[in-house]
Amino acid sequence: MARLKDIVEYCDQRTHREEIADFPGAHNGLQFENHGDVTKIGAAVDAGLVPFTLAAERGIDFLIVHHGMFWNPPTAFTGVHRKKLLTLFANNLAVYGSHLPLDCHPQIGNNAILARKLGLNVDGGFVRYEKHDIAVTAPAIEDRAHLRERLKGLFPETLICIEAGPQNTKRIGILTGSGRSAIPELRERGIDTFITGELKQEHFNIAQELEINLYLGGHYATETFGVCALAEDVADKFNLQWEFIDTGCPL
Amino acid sequence: MARLKDIVEYCDQRTHREEIADFPGAHNGLQFENHGDVTKIGAAVDAGLVPFTLAAERGIDFLIVHHGMFWNPPTAFTGVHRKKLLTLFANNLAVYGSHLPLDCHPQIGNNAILARKLGLNVDGGFVRYEKHDIAVTAPAIEDRAHLRERLKGLFPETLICIEAGPQNTKRIGILTGSGRSAIPELRERGIDTFITGELKQEHFNIAQELEINLYLGGHYATETFGVCALAEDVADKFNLQWEFIDTGCPL
Amino acid sequence: MARLKDIVEYCDQRTHREEIADFPGAHNGLQFENHGDVTKIGAAVDAGLVPFTLAAERGIDFLIVHHGMFWNPPTAFTGVHRKKLLTLFANNLAVYGSHLPLDCHPQIGNNAILARKLGLNVDGGFVRYEKHDIAVTAPAIEDRAHLRERLKGLFPETLICIEAGPQNTKRIGILTGSGRSAIPELRERGIDTFITGELKQEHFNIAQELEINLYLGGHYATETFGVCALAEDVADKFNLQWEFIDTGCPL
Amino acid sequence: MARLKDIVEYCDQRTHREEIADFPGAHNGLQFENHGDVTKIGAAVDAGLVPFTLAAERGIDFLIVHHGMFWNPPTAFTGVHRKKLLTLFANNLAVYGSHLPLDCHPQIGNNAILARKLGLNVDGGFVRYEKHDIAVTAPAIEDRAHLRERLKGLFPETLICIEAGPQNTKRIGILTGSGRSAIPELRERGIDTFITGELKQEHFNIAQELEINLYLGGHYATETFGVCALAEDVADKFNLQWEFIDTGCPL
Amino acid sequence: MARLKDIVEYCDQRTHREEIADFPGAHNGLQFENHGDVTKIGAAVDAGLVPFTLAAERGIDFLIVHHGMFWNPPTAFTGVHRKKLLTLFANNLAVYGSHLPLDCHPQIGNNAILARKLGLNVDGGFVRYEKHDIAVTAPAIEDRAHLRERLKGLFPETLICIEAGPQNTKRIGILTGSGRSAIPELRERGIDTFITGELKQEHFNIAQELEINLYLGGHYATETFGVCALAEDVADKFNLQWEFIDTGCPL
Amino acid sequence: MARLKDIVEYCDQRTHREEIADFPGAHNGLQFENHGDVTKIGAAVDAGLVPFTLAAERGIDFLIVHHGMFWNPPTAFTGVHRKKLLTLFANNLAVYGSHLPLDCHPQIGNNAILARKLGLNVDGGFVRYEKHDIAVTAPAIEDRAHLRERLKGLFPETLICIEAGPQNTKRIGILTGSGRSAIPELRERGIDTFITGELKQEHFNIAQELEINLYLGGHYATETFGVCALAEDVADKFNLQWEFIDTGCPL
């Protein structure tokens, strides 16, 4: 057993919470406080009723989420909002949210981990938000067909390939989750191949015109890495168990 | 015992909730849902931890408030925010907020009741917000000294008198709570005496220059009428008891 | 051969162009003027270099598109922008854009056609933009499994199913392209099953919490209907041939 | 007798006018120019018709005010606006406004003087506006009851006490005039007792929830210090007499 | 001699002051109040120090201006601002501003009078601001060369001709003062010849591309008509003399 | 013959394009790309249909303009917009826009050249936009009458003189094109004589009140210098011919 206060402090420091500005609505940090003790760590992508219920069933009392509770702040504690809070209170389940800090962290960030899993060596960043880059670049290490195979292995259910760029790729950009904000910078960065989670339909045409390869692994699927890595770190540090709460989101 | 659903529906209709636009942050209506049954009605001006705790101690499970829970929406359910929600859950206490609908209602609105208590006959409205007037006017029925006495009787602790207008008043304006939005309309409405709850320091000078009598009864003290009247109505309708939760706010 | 002017006038009237307000950037109507005569009609979803080139190769000189040329207005006629314009000039290819008018049209709109293809009878509209509803509702005619089969037939490559709602569906909502703007209205409209083209990852969680079935057919795939229907109408009217320019967009 | 130009220059320097950004509408500095000579200095809180008239009656030809003439800029020189200007012209009365510079000045600022009168030693600032702190902090030197007595002595008519904090106070914050902007910072600064001029009703509930002692001395009453101190300084410097114009404002 | 109050009331009615919304900064109506009596009327285009001084020299005590005193509201009554007010007080000179009401009035408006002077019959309006058209249209009555001659007669010093339209003009648009807001509407109104006061350099190129004749008579020169007509009306009505204060502005 | 790419690169460097922020809509740099080779340089003030046509007639294939193509971005390539692009494509005419960089350049900027032509020695800058001054100052070298003569020589058709300042000028400000943004700074800079291209009618009154001499040479006429100087530089560098395309704009 560990104290909530210590775990929150550790998470804040590990993710550099205070130094990293985030989008309005993120409100990183402790989002729901429990009684004060923690016995088991959980990781989930979304702060939803289903993840909360599953976490409670598995005895988790500290749940790390990537998408927190306040993107659409409640304006009445009724219906689903009430159920979510009641689930948290009833199961003494604390919720900790960490968004951009878990995207851009050089060790436990979504981008960094995805690059490692693809065997790539990150050599720079792009898509600056306030003072931090939230996407990474890496030199290509093999041709497009091999890269596609690796991605297919990581995201077997969700991978979408739009191969409008060169077969012999030179430079790769990675931005997990939504890749929208990276699109305007790709050409000027010399990126010919962009790996992300999710894009909108309009980007298909843009990819054709920019002659860029796009690989979409799924917003959810590309953002499970960071919460798991932080959960594992916390669990190690405080000698607790941890578990990933998978909702199988296909988007 | 009555069903929460029926009480909420009754309150919505009695206050014409859907027809009256309110300020952003008001979010009138059921703000916190309880298990579904109600046994005792409460009325309070503010949705605060102290009123919630006092209401719970007195066995109230449906609390009507004038200033609801979302003027500053929570962005972390920790500390005081958590305590408030826990108090509500633990005591099965529902919260119903009604702001402008309880200011401008012709029977159970704060302005209408205050006018009645002063023996005044409302003959018009002013300070329009969207489609409704939220302040009232009435012809004077006696001179300034007598009016001041009546007000002193109603607001013995909080009354502030700024008598820069005529002794023989002609026309009275009333706006409970903050009177700020009424100031620019006073002269054009022929109002020489304005009764309100609260004003800012800058209005003293304005009163002197406009040659208007200002009587400030206290924001809190002038806004206890509406919530009590609605609570009494609900209690009558559903054959329940009701109680006012007084916090003694001097402002 | 027909005159460009007559065709544009016909399209404007057929789509009620002037009566339907659209998003900034749509700029519906003739977007690129050719020499003045038209011999073959084309239909495409996007106004991109690849569709323009394919249309030119097939002898098309009047291309109807759903997503026009000005969502991101050019600020230098260089590179791809220059190539697009040169392709249009060199091939005497006129471009006509029609966005919301081809979503909400009761006969040749994307929603109406998709509903017909699913055997559904539209009985109302929702998601109002200015003065027109851009989504439709219909009573369900069979259970979820059968509906899914029909959708799989229409969108074999792109269909994503998120079945968080009831098996016995009651009420269906349809909004082709991006379904985002429909989400807040689903519950209040009694819609338990929503068919759209594209949603963002955050809507998976919302679907689970609202207990709604979501079927995503692909933004592109659900928006090929309207441009084809208008092209066919124009071709019939002016006794010309028409062709659909398919780019195989997987999004 | 002194030259207006020299007095204005002295006031500008003494208050660091150019270095201190102020709210829109403050327009610190010489606001109304007289013929060019000054024989007697006045100090008033508000730039109103009554203070102007009183100052003229007492032979003042240079009036320092805290709340200047342009918070609501005139859009017609008629009625009261005309009377004010005519009073100034007819009595050759110059007006000098100084708002935040007379709040935050370490010697002649309202906060600094109030702290001195309470025997407190200022050890820091808070509530930053642009580049300057406009509120001060000080360690407590005695318990709450003694502090209350001192305040009662300074503000006998206007003091309002909301004692929701500890009896043994540790840390005191002071912001004369409106205290609203200080509220969000109190807890993070470790302030358990806040002395200010004026607050709104909503802050009573906040005080209860934050467990903070609030003492409200009156907006006007807490802002007489700075203008008097500057007037005295100017009078000393130029060997003139000075007088405070009291309007007895109860707010 | 007449009473200021009656003259202001007459001007308000004659110009339909309350019904005509104007740009922010216009503040039409009495802008500076004198002692209450009027003996001589003046008219000027601008509310400046020179026109005020000239008007005072000629014994005027009610000056009608087109461009009033508040386009740039004063934020210190020093220097020129002080001089202007002092000139008004010292000479008991009232100022009455009327902007759009004196542009769009069908009898005494700048546009209507200019059309009459050119022998044109106004048959419509354009450039709507809130609920009123502020420009007029008229069918051409002669060719371009004759029109130019008439204009040269009216504006001998200031006329600028940009003749990029047809020699045989069909339809004329008139907007005195700045013609900028009319430009986007010219072609859709079928106007081939536009008479205005002032345009910016960018409109030369636009005129060439739209193939429109532009005649610029000078902002000042085209806006002397309305103030004179109102002054004459007032003088007649109240049996007073009137005079135009000409500053010879070449712009 | 030279390569377009090299000429664009030279122009970018010569004008410090990347370092100088410009107004939205300027979009300095290559605005329309031709086939890639350049044989003759042109200079024009405006990117209009007439200048494009004249340039094409004279065999120009690289046209430098001061006011580029995107101040009002096209939203349909029809009518005049189509004609302009077709003229460029058909004549293989590239367009290069340079706005503020050609105003503020110390050698080839409009202000610097105008100062030289007047025999003035620039000793400072004012009217800062982002990080650069876009106007210049110079000590006067002769009295007003002589300066007026020199200006009359440079701008014989367009010069407007508003001589409300001193006859013995001390300090001169220059801002070619629109002088509007310089007006608020003139007095504080000690400028008694301001030379610019274009002002609005309201500035006549301001000049009288500030007691400043205004000389308006014409927006167009004062901005022909920079494009010509750059064209000449480019022509020299690449051993090409150049020509100025004069449209005789009187504004």
Side-chain angles (χ1 to χ4, degrees), chain A residues 40-46 54 58 60 63-64 220-221 223-225 227-228 231 242-248:
Chain A
K40 184 175 175 188
I41 308 298
V45 174
D46 299 303
L54 293 173
R58 291 171 198 180
I60 288 163
L63 183 67
I64 297 164
Y220 175 88
E223 296 198 329
T224 58
F225 306 124
V227 286
C228 287
W242 77 276
E243 197 169 339
F244 175 55
I245 303 299
D246 191 354
T247 58

Side-chain angles (χ1 to χ4, degrees), chain A residues 27 30-35 69-70 74-79 82 85-86 89, chain B residues 27 30-35 69-70 74-79 82 85-86 89:
Chain A
H27 296 292
L30 184 63
Q31 298 195 337
F32 190 91
E33 192 182 354
N34 74 355
H35 287 330
M69 302 175 74
F70 298 105
T75 51
F77 299 112
T78 58
R82 181 179 194 276
L85 289 174
L86 192 51
F89 274 117
Chain B
H27 297 291
L30 183 63
Q31 297 194 338
F32 189 91
E33 193 183 352
N34 75 355
H35 286 329
M69 303 173 74
F70 299 104
T75 51
F77 299 111
T78 58
R82 182 180 192 275
L85 289 174
L86 192 51
F89 273 116

Side-chain angles (χ1 to χ4, degrees), chain C residues 75-195:
Chain C
T75 51
F77 298 112
T78 58
V80 169
H81 282 304
R82 181 179 194 277
K83 272 192 214 162
K84 281 203 270 193
L85 289 174
L86 191 52
T87 302
L88 298 178
F89 274 117
N91 295 282
N92 191 34
L93 174 53
V95 178
Y96 184 93
S98 187
H99 182 239
L100 288 190
L102 279 187
D103 284 324
C104 68
H105 196 287
Q107 284 92 44
I108 58 168
N110 287 313
N111 294 308
I113 297 174
L114 177 51
R116 279 207 303 276
K117 284 182 185 283
L118 292 169
L120 299 170
N121 294 307
V122 169
D123 67 353
F126 68 119
V127 188
R128 182 153 287 243
Y129 183 74
E130 301 288 331
K131 292 185 191 154
H132 293 83
D133 287 331
I134 58 173
V136 298
T137 56
I141 54 170
E142 58 198 349
D143 70 10
R144 192 170 72 181
H146 286 89
L147 179 67
R148 190 202 310 132
E149 282 315 297
R150 288 183 190 245
L151 286 162
K152 195 70 195 168
L154 286 173
F155 309 114
E157 310 271 323
T158 47
L159 187 69
I160 294 174
C161 306
I162 298 172
E163 298 185 324
Q167 293 207 357
N168 290 306
T169 61
K170 292 263 168 55
R171 190 150 193 72
I172 293 175
I174 300 179
L175 178 53
T176 58
S178 169
R180 178 167 218 160
S181 52
I183 299 293
E185 295 185 33
L186 296 179
R187 283 317 290 261
E188 67 190 77
R189 303 281 174 179
I191 292 165
D192 54 33
T193 299
F194 180 49
I195 299 164

